[in-house]
Amino acid sequence: MTNEPEAISSAVQQRSTELFHGHQDEIHRRTDRMFAYLMTVQWLAGIVAAVWISPRTWAGAQSQIHWHVWAAIFIGGAITGLPVALACLQPGRPLTRHVIGVGQMLTSALLIHLTGGRIETHFHVFGSLAFLAFYRDWRVLISATVVVALDHVLRGAFWPQSVFGVLTSSPWRSIEHAGWVVFEDFFLLISISHGLRELRGIAERQARLEAVNQEIEQRVELRTAELQKEIGERKRSEAERERIHKQLLDVSRQAGMAEVATSVLHNVGNVLNSVNVSCSLIAKALRNPKWTHLAKSAELIQAHSDRLPAFFADDPKGKQLPAFLMKLTGHLAEEQEEVTEELVSLQANVDHIKEIVAMQQSYARISGVQELVSAADLVEDALRMNSLAMERHGVRVVREYSDAPSILVEKHKVLQILVNLIRNAKHALDDRTDDDKRVTLRVGLNGNNCVKIAVLDNGVGIPPENLARIFEHGFTTRKDGHGFGLHSASLSARELGGNLTAHSDGSGLGAKFTLELPVEPKTTSV
Amino acid sequence: MPQNKDTNGTLRQSRRLPLATAIGGLIWLAVIATATVLMLAHAGAPGEASTPPAVWPASSKVPHDQARPTLVLFVHPRCPCSRATIGELAVLMAHAQGKVNVRALFLRPAGTSTDWAESDTWHQAAAIPGVAVQGDDAGTEARRFGMKTSGDAALYAADGRLLFHGGLTISRGHAGDNPGRDTLLALLHNEPTPATQTPVFGCALFEPGTNGLASTECRKERLQP
């Protein structure tokens, strides 16, 4: 771990060196191109100058093309040719720029010669040195300076008049001329040194920047991979949650249906109790010994059939028998009436069971089909499923139905919700000791084009901490509860495009559950 | 560098290439050096030697100043090399104003119009203070003074003696310090002079064969032995 920064630093250093050489190469190539154009222009300018200044040489009235013109074309072409060719074919190579440096100095010499040694043309030497400094390579300046020095030394030795204008020249004259070149070289070398230092600095900064960018890119890639992994996991988790939710929904639906079924069975069970009681009473009536007394009375009369008058007149039993039979007849008539009543009740109870089962069957059969139904009718059906329990527990039902349009719904879902709410309301009233057990059912239209069904009770109420969790799956306050009912009811309400809300002012202050359903059904995902 | 990243084969090739280029460069330098030597040799080749009379020729129509030295300069008006001579004359006159009477005679070959001689060199000379410019019809005065090369000058003393003759440039059309100008300035300032004649660089004043010359090129006036 401790070697990592060193490794990074070494990598940056290496990259910095690469960039530095890259920049240098770019500068060399660019300057090569510049000189390729410049030297070509210089060559053409030399030809123009020769044609302009010394087009022809004369002898009296005769003339011919001046030697300068040929020199400008051919010597100038020779000087220019190789540097330009190298600049085009081998740009960026050290030899190319050295040849360019030499060629540029030779061009200076040629131009000076073609312009008759004009002092102004000598400025070309100094300008060329400055241009050569564009390479930021001090060696090129040395090459060029050596050419100038050799030119002066050799011509000073062999043709002093061509360079110094005198037939004999002092060596100091060469040194003076070279001195001015060296003078310029000195400052150009300083400038090149600064330029290279700046270039190195730029390369270092760029290398660092690249390293930072690379690190950022790596982090981004890493983070992207992590995010993609997270997204994948999230999607899987989402799918799993969706699956569990669907499963839960199915379970809740089944639980809701179970609620209804339980409610139905509860009611049926209650009715069956009455049926059982009725049957017991009838059986008991049929087993009554009074019929034995009637048989004994008949046997007694049969035994005294030959002397019935004496029997009724003299026999003590005979004397009591008519009164006894009258009384017996009265009792039997009463029993018959009681049995008949029980049979009527029994028949009514059986009919009620039949009715409940038929209603349940009607709701069970139409699952998944939307029907246009009245909210009040749905409330009444739900109430009917709980009617006996409500009656048995002495719960008073208050109906407050307003005009409301029919709603297009899957009515078994609404029934499940309402059965659940009414049962809950009844349970909330179980602990109430007084006789004022009241469930209020309201049907109306809210301002949002929704039918509103409210189930209110004046039971135990809901504390605020429970109110927030009332629709959570598994949340229940009843000992025998499983926490599916309200959760399932809430989900069903949302499936129907509506919603189910609960309100309570607190413990002991009753509760209000409101189911809102759109008149026109909406598709809502849960 | 790109060659460092190349394969070995490419590296071998890239190493051969600079060697070939270096040989080519040497050949290139040799060619240029040879051409330069030839060019300098040509530039340093003087014109045909003049033979001016030792005293001012009496037949000359050129006015001779009796009070001060007279410098007669013969110029081919179309000779490009002589522009440098006029330039040097201007420098001379700047340092010897009033000390010399200068007559610049521009060749006007036979059969040419009057304005043929009035070239830019003529006007350049005419613009120099103290220099009188005139045409030399058919080179009569040039022959009279024994001049054969453009740019040749002869300085005669007030008493008619020849003091100096030769050119005012160091080579063909080359401006700058030169022995001819230095000698003239020394003579005009009555200073000792190392020589009384210098080579002259310029075009021939006459066609080949018309005055004993074989070449149309600018010739040096040969130094007197």
Side-chain angles (χ1 to χ4, degrees):
Chain A
M1 292 298 288
T2 53
N3 291 332
E4 196 172 339
E6 288 176 12
I8 291 170
S9 174
S10 170
V12 168
Q13 190 63 39
Q14 191 178 349
R15 178 62 184 150
S16 168
T17 306
E18 281 178 16
L19 286 170
F20 174 68
H21 290 312
H23 289 324
Q24 272 192 316
D25 187 54
E26 191 183 331
I27 288 170
H28 293 157
R29 286 168 184 271
R30 192 173 59 223
T31 313
D32 283 345
R33 280 198 300 275
M34 184 194 81
F35 270 107
Y37 290 118
L38 177 67
M39 294 190 79
T40 305
V41 170
Q42 285 174 165
W43 176 44
L44 297 174
I47 294 171
V48 170
V51 171
W52 180 262
I53 296 167
S54 49
R56 304 185 75 79
T57 186
W58 291 82
Q62 293 179 354
S63 68
Q64 61 186 40
I65 291 174
H66 199 284
W67 208 87
H68 278 182
V69 176
W70 302 120
I73 293 170
F74 294 108
I75 300 179
I79 290 171
T80 305
L82 185 62
V84 170
L86 287 176
C88 295
L89 299 174
Q90 296 182 16
R93 289 182 180 274
L95 188 67
T96 299
R97 52 184 177 273
H98 283 287
V99 169
I100 285 174
V102 171
Q104 188 65 16
M105 291 299 109
L106 292 174
T107 303
S108 294
L110 179 65
L111 289 175
I112 289 168
H113 184 79
L114 293 177
T115 56
R118 284 169 62 86
I119 197 71
E120 290 83 357
T121 317
H122 286 74
F123 296 153
H124 187 272
V125 175
F126 298 99
S128 296
L129 286 172
F131 290 157
L132 289 171
F134 287 3
Y135 278 114
R136 298 195 196 184
D137 184 354
W138 59 271
R139 298 173 194 85
V140 177
L141 285 184
I142 300 301
S143 297
T145 305
V146 165
V147 170
V148 175
L150 278 175
D151 179 54
H152 278 69
V153 168
L154 292 175
R155 283 166 65 186
F158 298 104
W159 299 284
Q161 72 275 20
S162 70
V163 60
F164 302 121
V166 291
L167 291 170
T168 56
S169 72
S170 162
W172 293 107
R173 196 84 186 266
S174 299
I175 292 169
E176 182 192 348
H177 280 222
W180 287 110
V181 173
V182 171
F183 173 76
E184 185 182 1
D185 282 349
F186 176 73
F187 290 101
L188 289 176
L189 289 173
I190 290 173
S191 170
I192 287 170
S193 174
H194 286 170
L196 288 175
R197 202 175 302 136
E198 283 175 6
L199 203 61
R200 207 178 291 277
I202 289 168
E204 280 180 11
R205 283 194 292 278
Q206 191 176 344
R208 285 203 187 94
L209 196 63
E210 283 183 0
V212 170
N213 283 343
Q214 196 177 4
E215 193 182 341
I216 289 169
E217 279 177 12
Q218 283 174 349
R219 282 185 187 174
V220 168
E221 280 178 13
L222 195 65
R223 186 63 190 139
T224 305
E226 286 175 359
L227 282 174
Q228 282 175 342
K229 193 179 171 188
E230 279 179 20
I231 288 168
E233 285 175 358
R234 195 168 292 176
K235 279 182 180 173
R236 279 194 295 276
S237 168
E238 195 87 17
E240 181 67 10
R241 196 170 63 182
E242 191 76 20
R243 190 184 63 76
I244 291 170
H245 184 73
K246 192 169 179 298
Q247 201 174 19
L248 191 63
L249 208 61
D250 291 342
V251 170
S252 296
R253 269 199 207 103
Q254 287 167 6
M257 290 175 73
E259 290 269 346
V260 174
T262 303
S263 181
V264 167
L265 290 174
H266 187 71
N267 279 303
V268 169
N270 288 335
V271 177
L272 283 175
N273 280 338
S274 299
V275 168
N276 192 33
V277 169
S278 296
C279 288
S280 298
L281 285 173
I282 291 167
K284 188 181 172 184
L286 291 176
R287 284 194 301 269
N288 198 322
K290 287 177 179 133
W291 293 101
T292 312
H293 295 318
L294 184 60
K296 284 179 180 177
S297 296
E299 285 173 2
L300 194 60
I301 291 169
Q302 181 68 33
H304 296 86
S305 59
D306 54 343
R307 49 182 193 92
L308 283 175
F311 176 67
F312 286 113
D314 300 325
D315 194 286
K317 289 183 179 177
K319 288 179 182 176
Q320 292 175 4
L321 189 59
F324 175 74
L325 285 174
M326 284 301 289
K327 196 175 178 179
L328 183 62
T329 302
H331 283 297
L332 287 175
E334 284 176 10
E335 280 185 0
Q336 187 186 15
E337 191 177 349
E338 285 176 3
V339 168
T340 303
E341 282 178 7
E342 285 302 324
L343 283 173
V344 170
S345 172
L346 183 62
Q347 190 177 5
N349 285 331
V350 169
D351 285 344
H352 190 61
I353 290 170
K354 191 177 161 188
E355 184 185 344
I356 289 170
V357 170
M359 185 171 62
Q360 166 62 11
Q361 283 175 336
S362 78
Y363 279 108
R365 273 200 302 271
I366 56 175
S367 174
V369 179
Q370 291 188 328
E371 289 179 90
L372 197 60
V373 291
S374 159
D377 289 348
L378 286 172
V379 172
E380 283 299 315
D381 282 347
L383 196 58
R384 200 167 293 123
M385 288 189 178
N386 289 285
S387 59
L388 289 175
M390 301 283 268
E391 285 172 18
R392 197 172 68 250
H393 289 89
V395 177
R396 187 163 59 94
V397 176
V398 179
R399 294 172 173 81
E400 297 177 359
Y401 299 162
S402 305
D403 288 338
S406 297
I407 50 176
L408 189 63
V409 290
E410 289 182 56
K411 65 179 189 179
H412 78 282
K413 285 187 180 175
V414 183
L415 187 76
Q416 283 176 16
I417 298 168
L418 294 175
V419 164
N420 190 281
L421 296 179
I422 292 169
R423 279 195 65 201
N424 283 348
K426 182 187 75 67
H427 284 303
L429 294 164
D430 284 349
D431 292 338
R432 195 166 179 111
T433 52
D434 59 7
D435 294 335
D436 187 19
K437 294 181 178 180
R438 191 172 68 251
V439 169
T440 305
L441 300 167
R442 287 180 189 156
V443 175
L445 189 66
N446 73 356
N448 199 22
N449 203 27
C450 284
V451 170
K452 186 164 66 176
I453 303 168
V455 179
L456 301 88
D457 65 74
N458 59 344
V460 293
I462 307 167
E465 64 272 18
N466 288 350
L467 197 60
R469 305 175 56 202
I470 198 81
F471 295 113
E472 284 181 11
H473 177 256
F475 179 79
T476 181
T477 55
R478 280 162 47 196
K479 286 179 183 174
D480 57 344
H482 42 60
F484 280 178
L486 283 176
H487 179 70
S488 169
S490 173
L491 291 177
S492 295
R494 288 165 64 186
E495 272 189 298
L496 292 165
N499 66 78
L500 178 63
T501 57
H503 172 79
S504 174
D505 291 329
S507 295
L509 296 173
K512 176 185 177 184
F513 286 83
T514 306
L515 172 66
E516 289 185 320
L517 294 170
V519 175
E520 292 294 329
K522 293 181 285 189
T523 304
T524 306
S525 61
V526 291
Chain B
M1 298 295 286
Q3 59 266 43
N4 293 336
K5 295 176 184 173
D6 287 343
T7 61
N8 292 335
T10 311
L11 270 176
R12 281 197 298 275
Q13 188 184 6
S14 65
R15 280 173 186 164
R16 276 199 300 273
L17 208 59
L19 181 65
T21 310
I23 292 169
L26 289 174
I27 294 170
W28 171 67
L29 278 175
V31 168
I32 291 170
T34 305
T36 304
V37 167
L38 289 173
M39 186 176 70
L40 292 174
H42 172 264
E48 190 70 20
S50 62
T51 52
V55 293
W56 186 273
S59 57
S60 175
K61 300 287 192 308
V62 179
H64 177 239
D65 197 327
Q66 304 296 321
R68 53 184 178 170
T70 299
L71 178 72
V72 281
L73 174 65
F74 291 89
V75 180
H76 191 296
R78 304 292 175 99
C79 175
C81 311
S82 297
R83 285 199 197 93
T85 300
I86 301 300
E88 293 308 310
L89 178 64
V91 175
L92 173 75
M93 292 306 290
H95 292 88
Q97 198 61 242
K99 293 182 180 296
V100 63
N101 177 29
V102 179
R103 293 280 168 180
L105 284 90
F106 281 76
L107 176 70
R108 191 178 289 151
T112 59
S113 62
T114 309
D115 58 351
W116 190 87
E118 295 179 1
S119 63
D120 58 335
T121 317
W122 169 294
H123 294 295
Q124 190 184 351
I128 302 170
V131 175
V133 179
Q134 65 181 78
D136 180 16
D137 290 332
T140 309
E141 291 294 341
R143 286 192 178 85
R144 196 168 282 148
F145 280 89
M147 300 296 182
K148 300 181 180 87
T149 304
S150 178
D152 211 345
L155 181 69
Y156 286 88
D159 59 3
R161 284 182 298 113
L162 178 65
L163 299 176
F164 165 84
H165 72 98
L168 301 181
T169 60
I170 197 67
S171 65
R172 288 175 188 273
H174 201 97
D177 294 346
N178 63 88
R181 193 181 71 197
D182 293 346
T183 303
L184 282 172
L185 281 171
L187 287 168
L188 294 173
H189 289 92
N190 296 317
E191 292 171 357
T193 57
T196 56
Q197 64 183 91
T198 56
V200 61
F201 301 91
C203 301
L205 288 172
F206 305 105
E207 291 85 348
T210 57
N211 200 26
L213 297 176
S215 169
T216 59
E217 282 292 334
C218 303
R219 291 290 176 179
K220 175 186 177 183
E221 184 183 5
R222 301 291 177 198
L223 289 172
Q224 293 300 316

